[in-house]
Every structure is written in structure tokens, then in C-alpha cells.
């Protein structure tokens, strides 16, 4: 019996006026019915180009299919070459026999239509049924993907749903016509670990119910350990290794696969330098096994924490509340609040990194921004350098901001696309009149760029000319420009490739040793927070659920909520 999907010697080039880039280099693989094949690799490896090629969603030009076949076996057992299909026949296959879940549901869903209408549209396009039956089927699909209040969500718009709920709507849309092949392109990137686990479990459950073939694309090998039957590792447009989950995790052959496995923070002790892809590429053979790093995790003592325990309080938060109006009467009187931060008290010790962890909506980002007074609190105290900063005037607050900086989650949206990165990093120096002469400012910026492993020639480039990891380095350089004593890192590595994440975490550790700043590291990923933090605070529904030394919280959690967060972390199979 033929495979559900067979790709043979596929080469895809991107051609512009002056250049030709080969994105896929003669790749070949198969996907069978009832099988989940994971394609793993970093940004630029060619994994998304592969998935978009299957549905012919690459813009042409610049994309050119130089060589190869994409053979798909339809429900009637007829095998067709997708590359040779006319547009009308291709349209009948998209969403019907081959469906796709995209990485970012908010940009995939139309913001001006309700979620129900968008799923109904997909059903009505491919099935000859009435609108009433399409609506019933949509609500049934919402029940199937375990959305709360399916009838209510039918009439809601995408912005009214959480990230995990939007992704479930996308899964319901993809499943609406019972496709033979489902392509999931990074469907869990930047989602909370608990939401990620539920999405992975849901895809697996639906795949088994419908006997679908699934192509699951991700940059994180740990994510696919529990869901995939086979794994393909892609690097620079080529499939460098493929095999079963056990073969890839226990006996990786290619240096790139070893690098992707080794750079996960969960495998390393606190303070231990994380290996990166560049390290493996240089040597193609790192001395010492990954298992030795895991063994050291349990035996390493945190010498740094012993010093911090004797340290003085740097920031003290007392009974902090941040409430947002939820309901109002006709006359505008507020009758209910969303208590984003609810009576929170804690302290940050001088020189430590305090981890702040929890699911989306727990209040961690609101708390981090309130510490900088980017969000005004409802009540409470924030004592910084012995003074309550909530009493500061705008002028005093502006002066204080030299000492307190933030690194945002999305570096692209926090950089002005019209400013060169040199100007962006120099801006705080200029605003606060720290360095008045232009040449001296430029020298300082170049020094900062080199500290974050960028180059002087990057000074005049714009944000869109950099990768995600490089943009995050630029934001780190900008945060360090004024030599602050306190930095808030707000989900600053959550959407990065695992190797780029390792580079940024190494960089933050190096810079902290050099500059000696105190920091709060906000994330939904407890394994990352455990690696970089001295102490951890776990937040849930605006309150502090649990706090303590990082390794104690990670290895011996006391509260059920913390245990659930840790249980949701993709563990993978630790290589031998």
C-alpha cells in the first residue's frame, strides 16, 4: 500500500534579482496513515518550507520548485503529484484532505469574524450542508477539542480567547473535514507548559481517533519525545538524521542532533555553561556525554546562593495590588475587578536572580511591569533603595529609571523599525544625558554590541535585518546601556530556538558576573527558571502559590499547582 505522503528529492530555491538560496536540498521522506512524524530543527533549517511546500503555500516568485515530487494518496487511493495539480484541484485538497495548524493562531484567525463563523466557513467550503448543520458541527468540534463553553466561544472573537483556546479553535478548524494528513507547524511555541501539554495530548488523541498521518514541526526535541513515532532532524535545508524516537534520543549520530539534545537547560546544573550548536559545529564531537551533565545537576551545590542568603534586601514589595475594572454599571460605576496581582509581598535580595513563574494570566508580567511603574498599582508598596517608589513624581521616577530596566518578550515589537540598532541602543544614553558627545556614545554602543557578541558593523543595520536571537541580544545591550542595578527579564527566551535560548542564557549569566546587577527572570518554563534563578516564586491567579530556593522548588515542590507545572515540562528521553 502506498504511503499517505511521499516526498522524493525535493529541491526548493528562493530567487531574487541578485541571489539564489537553496532552502531545501533534495530531501526525501514518507508519512503513513496513523503515524506522527516530527520534523525538528532551528529557524532556517527548512522545516516550515517543507510543510508549506506540501500545500503549495509558498509565494512564487521568489520560491521555485527545481526538482522532486510530492506524492499524496487521496481517500479514494488515487496517488497524485501535488506539484502538478491545477489550482482548482489543489483548492479542493487544502483544508479537506490535508489540513494545517499554523504557529501563531492570532495571525491565522481573522480578527473581524467570530471563531464560530471562521470554522463554519471551512466546513461550508468543502461540504454540501446547511448553515444550521455547519453551526451544530462547529459546536461539536469545539466540544471535541475540549473548549470551555463551546456555544459561547462560537460567538466570541479571537482577541477574547487565551493563546491555548485560540490554538484549539485552529485545531477544530483543521479537523472540520476529517483530513487524512494534518500538518502542525510549531503549534505550541511560546505557550505555557501546561497548555502545551494539553495541546500535544489533544493532537495525539485526535490522530488516534481519526487514524490521521501527522507532520509535527518544532525546534524543541524535548516536545516531540512523547508524541512522535519517528523524528527527522533538519539542518540548512537537509535531513541530517532520521529514526524512531528511541534511536534519536538514545543513540544520536549527527553532531547537530547531539547539539539540539545537549543545549536544553533541564539537563544542566545551575551556573554550568550551556553547550550551543556552534560549539558542536566547531568540534563535531564534544568531550563528555550529556548524561554526565545530568548527573552533575543533582550533585552540584549552589555556592552563589549561600552568599546571597547573607545578602541584604534590594527590593521589597508589600501587599501589592493591581486590579483592573471588569464590570461597570450603565452609569460607569465599577462593580467587579480582575485582580491581576492580589496582595503580593516578597523581597529581592541584592545580587540574586529571582525567578517568577506561572501560567498565562497568573499575574507575573503585570507584577514585573508594576515594579517599574509601567503599570500603576491599585495599592501597596514597592521599596527600592529604602524608598517607596509609588510616591515618586514623574521627574523623580524618570531619573530612577536609569537604575531599573526591562527586557521584553518580543524583541521585534520593542525595537523601533525605523531606527538603526545603533541609534536604539544610544537612545537611553542620549535621553538621560549620560554621554553628551556623539562619538563617545557611538564608541559606548559598539562596546555594548561586542559584549553581547555582535559586531561594530551591525551599528547601522535595522531590526528586520537580524534573527530573533540577535534582536534579543540588541535589547539586552540597550537594557545594559545605563549600567542598571536591577533588570526585569520578561519571557525573554520563551519563543527562541533551543540553541539560541542557550546562547542568551549563557550571555545573561556572563553579563551578570561582569555588571553585578540584580534581576527578576519571568517565564512560564520552570526548567529554564530553575537553571538561571537562585530563588523561585510560583504565581497562580494573582497570588503567590509557593516560593523558595530554585532547586528545592523544582525537585521537591510542595503545592499541587507547582507539581502540575513541573509534570507538564516535556522531559524527553535522556540520552545515554
Amino acid at each position: 500500500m502506498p504511503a499517505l505522503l511521499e516526498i522524493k528529492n525535493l529541491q526548493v530555491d528562493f530567487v531574487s534579482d541578485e541571489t539564489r538560496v537553496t532552502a531545501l536540498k533534495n530531501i526525501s521522506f514518507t508519512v503513513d496513515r496513523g503515524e506522527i512524524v516530527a520534523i525538528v530543527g532551528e529557524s532556517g533549517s527548512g522545516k516550515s518550507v517543507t510543510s508549506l511546500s506540501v500545500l503549495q503555500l509558498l509565494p512564487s516568485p521568489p520560491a521555485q520548485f527545481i526538482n522532486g515530487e510530492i506524492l499524496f494518496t487521496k481517500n479514494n487511493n488515487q496517488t497524485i503529484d501535488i506539484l502538478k495539480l491545477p489550482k482548482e484541484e489543489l483548492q479542493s485538497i487544502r483544508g479537506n484532505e490535508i489540513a494545517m495548524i499554523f504557529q501563531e493562531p492570532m495571525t491565522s484567525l481573522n480578527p473581524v469574524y467570530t471563531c464560530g463563523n471562521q470554522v463554519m466557513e471551512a466546513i461550508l467550503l468543502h461540504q454540501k450542508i446547511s448553515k444550521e448543520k455547519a453551526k451544530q458541527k462547529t459546536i461539536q468540534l469545539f466540544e471535541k477539542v475540549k473548549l470551555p463553553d463551546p456555544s459561547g466561544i462560537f460567538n466570541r472573537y479571537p482577541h477574547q480567547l487565551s493563546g491555548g483556546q485560540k490554538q484549539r479553535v485552529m485545531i477544530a478548524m483543521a479537523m472540520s473535514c476529517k483530513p487524512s494528513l494534518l500538518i502542525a507547524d510549531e503549534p505550541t511555541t511560546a505557550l505555557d507548559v501546561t497548555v502545551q501539554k494539553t495541546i500535544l495530548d489533544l493532537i495525539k488523541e485526535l490522530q488516534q481517533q481519526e487514524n490521521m498521518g501527522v507532520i509535527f514541526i518544532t525546534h524543541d526535541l524535548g516536545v516531540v519525545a512523547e508524541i512522535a513515532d519517528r523524528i527527522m532532524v533538519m539542518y540548512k535545508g537537509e535531513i541530517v538524521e532520521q529514526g524512531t524516537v528511541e534511536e534519536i534520543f538514545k543513540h544520536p549520530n549527527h553532531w547537530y542532533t547531539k547539539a539540539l539534545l545537549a543545549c536544553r537547560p533541564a539537563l544542566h546544573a545551575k551556573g554550568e555553561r550551556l553547550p550551543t550548536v556552534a560549539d558542536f559545529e566547531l568540534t563535531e564531537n564534544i568531550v563528555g556525554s550529556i548524561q554526565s551533565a545530568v548527573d552533575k545537576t543533582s550533585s552540584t551545590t549552589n555556592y552563589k546562593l549561600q552568599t546571597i542568603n547573607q545578602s541584604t534586601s534590594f527590593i521589597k514589595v508589600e501587599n501589592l495590588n493591581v486590579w483592573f475594572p471588569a464590570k461597570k454599571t450603565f452609569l460607569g460605576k465599577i462593580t467587579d475587578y480582575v485582580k491581576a496581582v492580589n496582595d503580593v509581598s516578597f523581597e529581592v535580595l541584592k545580587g540574586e536572580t529571582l525567578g517568577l513563574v506561572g501560567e498565562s494570566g497568573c499575574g507575573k508580567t503585570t507584577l514585573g511591569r508594576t515594579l517599574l511603574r509601567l503599570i500603576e498599582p491599585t495599592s501597596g508598596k514597592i521599596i527600592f533603595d529604602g524608598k517607596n517608589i509609588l510616591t515618586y513624581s514623574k521627574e523623580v521616577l524618570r531619573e530612577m529609571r536609569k537604575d531599573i530596566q526591562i527586557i521584553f518578550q518580543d524583541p521585534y515589537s520593542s525595537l523601533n523599525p525605523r531606527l538603526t540598532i545603533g541609534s536604539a541602543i544610544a537612545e537611553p544614553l542620549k535621553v538621560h544625558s549620560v554621554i553628551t558627545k556623539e562619538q563617545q556614545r557611538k564608541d559606548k554602543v559598539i562596546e555594548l554590541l561586542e559584549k553581547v557578541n555582535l559586531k561594530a558593523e551591525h551599528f547601522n543595520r535595522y531590526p528586520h535585518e537580524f534573527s530573533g536571537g540577535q534582536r534579543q541580544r540588541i535589547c539586552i545591550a540597550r537594557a545594559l546601556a545605563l549600567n542598571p542595578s536591577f533588570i526585569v527579564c520578561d519571557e525573554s527566551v520563551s519563543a527562541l530556538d533551543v540553541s539560541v535560548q542557550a546562547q542568551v542564557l549563557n550571555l545573561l549569566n556572563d553579563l551578570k558576573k561582569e555588571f553585578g546587577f540584580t534581576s527578576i527572570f519571568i517565564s512560564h518554563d520552570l526548567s529554564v527558571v530553575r537553571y538561571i534563578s537562585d530563588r523561585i516564586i510560583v504565581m497562580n491567579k494573582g497570588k503567590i502559590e509557593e516560593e523558595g530556593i530554585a532547586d528545592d522548588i523544582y525537585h521537591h515542590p510542595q503545592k499541587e499547582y507547582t507539581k502540575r507545572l513541573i509534570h507538564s515540562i516535556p522531559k524527553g528521553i535522556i540520552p545515554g
Side-chain angles (χ1 to χ4, degrees), residues 128 241 244:
K128 293 178 180 179
E241 186 166 3
T244 65

Side-chain angles (χ1 to χ4, degrees), residues 8-62:
K8 291 182 177 179
N9 303 315
L10 185 64
Q11 180 178 332
V12 179
D13 288 5
F14 287 98
V15 182
S16 65
D17 294 336
E18 299 174 355
T19 59
R20 176 182 289 270
V21 176
T22 301
L24 296 180
K25 301 174 184 176
N26 295 314
I27 66 166
S28 299
F29 68 94
T30 61
V31 181
D32 290 321
R33 294 181 189 274
E35 180 183 38
I36 298 180
V37 176
I39 304 179
V40 182
E42 297 178 288
S43 296
S45 64
K47 57 189 189 299
S48 289
V49 173
T50 302
S51 68
L52 294 169
S53 296
V54 172
L55 280 171
Q56 294 291 281
L57 294 175
L58 291 172
S60 180

Side-chain angles (χ1 to χ4, degrees), residues 348-420:
V348 187
L349 303 177
K350 189 173 179 62
E352 83 168 333
T353 297
L354 178 69
L356 202 55
V357 72
E359 297 172 285
S360 290
C362 71
K364 59 187 186 297
T365 292
T366 302
L367 176 56
R369 295 186 182 198
T370 305
L371 294 179
L372 279 73
R373 278 190 63 183
L374 296 175
I375 295 173
E376 290 297 332
T378 308
S379 62
K381 292 181 180 179
I382 302 171
I383 312 251
F384 175 67
D385 202 17
K387 296 173 184 174
N388 183 7
I389 66 170
L390 301 186
T391 63
Y392 284 3
S393 65
K394 286 184 179 180
E395 290 75 18
V396 177
L397 189 62
R398 181 177 173 181
E399 185 64 25
M400 183 209 69
R401 288 222 166 101
K402 285 194 291 187
D403 231 15
I404 298 181
Q405 292 290 312
I406 186 168
I407 303 166
F408 292 100
Q409 176 174 355
D410 182 0
Y412 192 71
S413 63
S414 60
L415 291 167
N416 188 332
R418 296 182 178 182
L419 284 182
T420 64

Side-chain angles (χ1 to χ4, degrees), residues 292-313:
S292 66
V294 181
D295 294 338
K296 282 190 279 183
T297 303
S298 56
S299 61
T300 303
T301 54
N302 194 347
Y303 66 90
K304 182 180 172 187
L305 193 62
Q306 295 166 4
T307 309
I308 286 172
N309 282 340
Q310 301 163 5
S311 185
T312 55
S313 176

Side-chain angles (χ1 to χ4, degrees), residues 415 419-426 445 449 458-459 461-463 466 474:
L415 291 167
L419 284 182
T420 64
I421 62 123
S423 299
I425 296 170
V445 170
L449 284 172
H458 291 144
F459 185 93
R461 293 188 191 174
Y462 290 87
F466 294 89
I474 292 161

Side-chain angles (χ1 to χ4, degrees), residues 442-554:
K442 184 174 181 179
D443 293 342
K444 176 67 175 176
V445 170
I446 290 171
E447 181 190 330
L448 287 164
L449 284 172
E450 289 172 349
K451 281 198 186 301
V452 297
N453 300 325
L454 294 171
K455 297 176 182 176
E457 55 259 37
H458 291 144
F459 185 93
N460 290 314
R461 293 188 191 174
Y462 290 87
H464 72 272
E465 298 180 83
F466 294 89
S467 69
Q470 287 175 321
R471 283 196 288 265
Q472 197 59 281
R473 291 166 184 272
I474 292 161
C475 290
I476 292 169
R478 185 177 59 180
L480 290 170
L482 297 170
N483 198 17
S485 57
F486 179 63
I487 296 178
V488 175
C489 301
D490 186 9
E491 297 273 18
S492 50
V493 297
S494 64
L496 300 178
D497 292 335
V498 284
S499 181
V500 178
Q501 181 186 81
Q503 292 170 18
V504 173
L505 291 172
N506 285 339
L507 176 64
L508 287 170
N509 277 332
D510 292 344
L511 292 172
K512 188 170 178 187
K513 286 175 189 173
E514 182 175 347
F515 289 90
F517 53 80
T518 304
S519 61
I520 286 183
F521 192 92
I522 299 170
S523 178
H524 59 257
D525 189 341
L526 253 167
S527 62
V528 172
V529 172
R530 192 274 317 166
Y531 168 76
I532 202 164
S533 303
D534 301 299
R535 288 188 302 124
I536 291 176
I537 287 177
V538 181
M539 286 192 72
N540 181 23
K541 296 178 181 176
K543 287 185 171 288
I544 292 175
E545 187 82 16
E546 187 170 358
E547 61 180 303
I549 293 168
D551 283 334
D552 290 347
I553 294 287
Y554 189 78

